[in-house]
């Protein structure tokens, strides 16, 4: 047989190299566990806290937005009601102003018609007085022609 011992021939039995490699692996694992994992955990915990805070801030922002939106809707509804009231009041005042203007125009028109009638009567009286002075001589002349013309035709 060969000069190798039973432990050297059987690969299932670990030798010294295996134990050295195992101890180095455990040492590296301990270093990673003690010095690398805690900062990573801290970063992950901080990130989780930020995500939770962001979600909370988002919820608060939605609530504030909804409250502001409700206030805007309420203000718009109130403004619409106020504008409808102002429009109705303006229509009422406009009708009153229009009625007053029509009444003033009717009064002024009546006064102008009355003044015109008075002026026309005065002008008619003056014209009649002037014509009376001309009618008498014309009527005599016409009567003379009719009487004189009738007598002249018989002859």
């Amino acid at each position: 047989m060969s000069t190798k011992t039973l432990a050297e021939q059987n690969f299932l039995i670990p030798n010294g190299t295996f134990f050295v490699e195992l101890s180095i692996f455990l040492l590296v694992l301990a270093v990673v566990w003690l010095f690398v994992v805690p900062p990573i955990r801290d970063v992950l915990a901080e990130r989780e806290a930020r995500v939770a805070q962001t979600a909370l801030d988002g919820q608060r922002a939605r609530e504030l937005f909804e409250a502001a939106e409700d206030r805007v809707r309420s203000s718009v509804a109130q403004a619409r009601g106020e504008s409808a009231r102002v429009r109705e009041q303006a229509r009422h005042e406009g009708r009153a102003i229009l009625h007053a203007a029509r009444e003033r125009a009717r009064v002024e028109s009546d006064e102008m018609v009355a003044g015109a009638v008075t002026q026309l009567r005065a002008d008619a009286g003056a014209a009649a007085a002037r014509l009376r002075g001309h009618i008498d001589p014309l009527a005599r002349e016409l009567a003379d022609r009719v009487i004189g013309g009738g007598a002249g035709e018989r002859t």
Side-chain angles (χ1 to χ4, degrees), residues 11-29:
F11 68 90
L12 293 177
I13 298 175
N15 61 14
T17 307
F18 172 75
F19 290 112
V20 170
E21 289 176 354
L22 180 64
S23 63
I24 291 173
F25 173 74
L26 291 176
L27 181 66
V28 169
L29 183 64

Side-chain angles (χ1 to χ4, degrees), residues 52-152:
Q53 183 64 36
T54 302
L56 184 62
D57 290 345
Q59 180 64 28
R60 285 184 194 149
R62 278 190 292 281
E63 290 171 358
L64 288 173
F65 177 74
E66 289 171 1
E69 203 171 43
D70 289 342
R71 285 193 309 269
V72 166
R73 284 188 197 119
S74 173
S75 295
V76 166
Q78 184 180 4
R80 285 182 179 158
E82 180 68 19
S83 67
R85 185 187 66 76
V86 168
R87 273 194 313 266
E88 188 58 36
Q89 182 180 359
R91 283 185 189 128
H92 178 69
E93 290 174 2
R95 283 187 216 121
I97 290 170
L98 184 60
H99 179 68
R102 283 182 181 163
E103 188 62 28
R104 279 194 311 269
R106 187 188 60 77
V107 167
E108 289 176 10
S109 172
D110 290 347
E111 288 174 358
M112 290 172 71
V113 167
V117 166
T118 304
Q119 181 66 33
L120 287 174
R121 285 187 182 155
D123 290 346
R130 278 189 312 223
L131 290 176
R132 281 190 199 118
H134 294 294
I135 289 179
D136 284 341
L138 287 175
R140 285 189 191 159
E141 183 181 330
L142 183 59
D144 287 342
R145 284 187 188 170
V146 170
I147 295 176

